[in-house]
């Protein structure tokens, strides 16, 4: 491995925010400064380098230790982040006045050089780490840190942000049991997770939901109705149904609310759709609660803080060892390095024979199949 003398590194946070980002930032800054390196933060993903004029205080901000003091427990990211503005598909206005996707990675590489950045710690999900992989292949020294509440990144047992999201979702679903029972209703709870069902599965099982609908198992509304009616007959006149935003009926499609150029399609409405169909088929009163961005906020759990600090420190150690084009990953009990290309190759969805699915079925949970 070619050891490059590192004097200055940058860190950026991309994609949806997640509890733990600031813990990663602090671990990277303190580890780097303790090695005598300078550390800079890029604002809002890569925007701070691609659109510097939009930042009066500068798109690339110095990160001394003082800047990261006391942020480990704070949700969000002090650098800002973005879910749009992918340098590989930057929406630029064409001659026809319409936005066209433009590749601005070469311009980005020049900006790194101009600012004398020797290496980048890219903190993000599949989208951001996919961009980081392209930059690594084009010659930038890059180490990735796996972030997303969805836990859908491959090659790591878990991403930071996920534990906090599942813990909060479980608390919310717990609260719904009493109101559902009091009104003999079916309470439907929609949770985030994009095209993977991890949040719905783990929060649903933990909060003893009766039905859990995930993208990996397209549902049959009549099977859901059967489960609800069986509960009614057994005397439990209420049910809790947890729906992943990417859940879809057999032969049906995702519930999409919008699709903008340069952005992933925005999912939404799956919970309301299921609540309406349950009412139509069973006649029972239903209500739907969408947890949405509540799952992205809040202070990270102890687990997420610790894994974030471990990931951040490991990313700097990897750079110091001369690593490049890798992502730090949790492979219990240790943190390993995996090639970025492997980590961003496919989405980690819920295996249908995984232990949590088997446990749920043993406990009588219906997946609508
Ligand atoms: O990827 C994290 C995530 O929270 C997804 O679960 C969700 O579908 C998406 O981001 C929402 O994106 P935005 O914050 O742009 O609405």
């Amino acid at each position: 491995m070619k050891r490059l003398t590192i004097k200055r590194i940058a860190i950026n946070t991309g994609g949806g925010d997640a509890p733990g980002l600031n813990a990663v930032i602090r671990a990277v800054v303190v580890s780097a400064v303790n090695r005598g390196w300078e550390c800079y933060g890029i604002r809002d993903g890569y925007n701070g380098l691609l659109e510097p004029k939009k930042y009066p205080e500068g798109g690339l901000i110095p990160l001394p230790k003082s800047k990261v003091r006391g942020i480990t427990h704070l949700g969000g990211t002090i650098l800002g982040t973005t879910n749009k503005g992918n340098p590989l598909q930057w929406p630029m206005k064409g001659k026809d006045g319409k936005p066209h996707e433009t590749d601005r990675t070469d311009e980005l590489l020049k900006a790194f050089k101009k600012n004398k950045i020797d290496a980048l710690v890219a903190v993000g999900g599949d989208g951001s780490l996919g961009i980081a992989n392209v930059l690594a292949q084009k010659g930038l020294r890059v180490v990735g840190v796996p972030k997303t509440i969805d836990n859908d990144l491959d090659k790591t047992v878990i991403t930071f942000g996920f534990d906090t999201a599942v813990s909060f979702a479980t608390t919310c679903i717990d609260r719904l049991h009493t109101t559902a029972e009091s009104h003999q209703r079916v309470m439907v709870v929609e949770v985030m997770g994009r095209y993977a069902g991890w949040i719905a599965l783990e929060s649903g099982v933990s909060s003893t939901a009766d039905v859990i609908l995930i993208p990996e198992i397209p549902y049959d509304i009549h099977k859901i109705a059967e489960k609800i009616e069986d509960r009614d007959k057994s005397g439990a006149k209420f049910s809790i149904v947890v729906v992943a935003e990417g859940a879809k009926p057999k032969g049906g499609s995702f519930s999409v609310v919008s699709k903008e150029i340069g952005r992933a399609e925005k999912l939404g409405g799956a919970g309301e759709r299921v609540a309406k169909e349950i009412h139509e088929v069973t006649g029972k009163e239903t209500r739907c609660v969408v947890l949405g961005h509540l799952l992205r906020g809040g202070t990270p759990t102890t687990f997420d803080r610790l894994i974030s600090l471990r990931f951040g420190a490991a990313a700097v150690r990897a750079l110091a060892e001369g690593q490049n084009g890798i992502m730090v990953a949790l492979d219990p009990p240790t943190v390993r390095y995996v090639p970025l290309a492997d980590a961003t190759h496919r989405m980690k969805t819920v295996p249908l024979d995984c232990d949590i699915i088997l446990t749920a079925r043993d406990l009588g949970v219906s997946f609508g199949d």
Side-chain angles (χ1 to χ4, degrees):
M1 222 160 298
K2 192 158 76 58
R3 277 182 188 274
L4 168 87
T5 318
I6 290 178
K7 293 194 181 68
R8 177 181 289 182
I9 69 167
I11 178 171
N12 73 340
T13 53
D17 71 307
L21 277 168
N22 285 322
V24 174
I25 293 168
R26 176 171 169 267
V28 167
V29 171
V30 175
S31 306
V33 171
N34 285 349
R35 283 176 167 79
W37 304 350
E38 284 182 331
C39 199
Y40 281 75
I42 309 172
R43 300 299 316 279
D44 303 337
Y46 295 95
N47 294 1
L49 284 179
L50 287 171
E51 308 270 85
K53 293 194 178 62
K54 286 192 176 166
Y55 301 91
E57 79 290 3
L60 190 67
I61 51 174
L63 292 176
K65 281 188 188 177
S66 57
K67 190 86 177 167
V68 297
R69 192 165 293 132
I71 68 168
T72 300
H73 66 295
L74 298 180
T77 158
I78 60 169
L79 296 177
T81 183
T82 177
N83 253 341
K84 48 182 191 255
N86 175 345
L88 304 172
Q89 302 164 325
W90 193 275
M92 299 275 274
K93 261 209 173 47
K95 294 192 180 68
D96 59 3
K98 292 199 186 99
H100 295 273
E101 291 185 353
T102 311
D103 181 348
R104 296 184 65 186
T105 46
D106 292 338
E107 192 184 332
L108 192 52
L109 290 166
K110 286 196 187 93
F112 277 106
K113 220 175 187 77
K114 178 170 158 266
N115 288 285
K116 299 185 175 54
I117 304 288
D118 300 316
L120 169 68
V121 175
V123 189
D126 56 342
S128 314
L129 296 184
I131 297 163
N133 184 43
V134 169
L135 296 174
Q137 287 169 0
K138 288 192 164 191
L140 182 70
R141 185 171 286 273
V142 181
V143 166
V145 176
K147 166 268 342 166
T148 173
I149 65 165
D150 305 338
N151 194 33
D152 60 358
L153 250 180
D154 207 6
K155 307 297 179 200
T156 180
V157 162
I158 202 163
T159 55
F160 75 82
F162 175 67
D163 184 64
T164 305
V166 169
S167 302
F168 182 72
T170 301
T171 306
C172 294
I173 299 164
D174 282 351
R175 282 170 165 266
L176 292 172
H177 281 259
T178 47
T179 179
E181 184 162 17
S182 305
H183 287 266
Q184 301 185 17
R185 276 174 176 161
V186 176
M187 293 303 289
V188 175
V189 189
E190 180 186 311
V191 296
M192 284 183 160
R194 280 199 325 172
Y195 304 110
W198 293 107
I199 296 176
L201 178 63
E202 296 205 11
S203 62
V205 175
S206 307
S207 59
T208 65
D210 306 298
V211 179
I212 301 174
L213 304 180
I214 58 177
E216 295 85 348
I217 305 176
Y219 63 80
D220 172 348
I221 193 64
H222 297 290
K223 294 284 184 191
I224 298 168
E226 215 173 284
K227 172 68 184 174
I228 292 168
E229 283 153 359
D230 285 351
R231 278 181 55 81
D232 265 23
K233 285 181 202 134
S234 73
K237 305 277 185 195
F238 71 99
S239 290
I240 303 291
V241 178
V242 178
V243 181
E245 61 180 349
K248 58 183 180 181
K250 274 198 174 82
S253 50
F254 295 118
S255 218
V256 177
V257 286
S258 67
K259 174 70 182 89
E260 292 163 35
I261 193 163
R263 291 208 62 175
E265 63 184 7
K266 183 141 181 50
L267 299 175
E272 284 295 352
R273 174 166 71 174
V274 167
K276 181 168 169 288
E277 288 169 358
I278 289 172
H279 175 64
E280 284 164 358
V281 175
T282 66
K284 282 192 79 69
E285 256 200 321
T286 60
R287 292 289 187 273
C288 178
V289 177
V290 179
L291 297 185
H293 287 74
L294 286 169
L295 300 180
R296 291 255 291 271
T299 184
T301 57
T302 305
F303 178 87
D304 269 343
R305 293 183 202 190
L306 187 56
I307 197 70
S308 300
L309 293 169
R310 290 171 67 187
F311 280 169
V316 170
R317 278 200 307 275
L319 288 173
E321 291 160 16
Q323 295 282 348
N324 181 23
I326 59 103
M327 176 186 85
V328 295
L330 182 65
D331 179 15
T334 184
V335 172
R336 291 197 189 292
Y337 308 147
V338 296
L340 265 174
D342 294 358
T344 54
H345 184 62
R346 71 175 197 100
M347 186 182 296
K348 184 181 70 187
T349 51
V350 175
L352 301 192
D353 59 352
C354 76
D355 162 74
I356 308 176
I357 294 264
L358 300 180
T359 301
R361 291 193 190 282
D362 287 344
L363 297 176
V365 171
S366 164
F367 287 96
D369 59 350

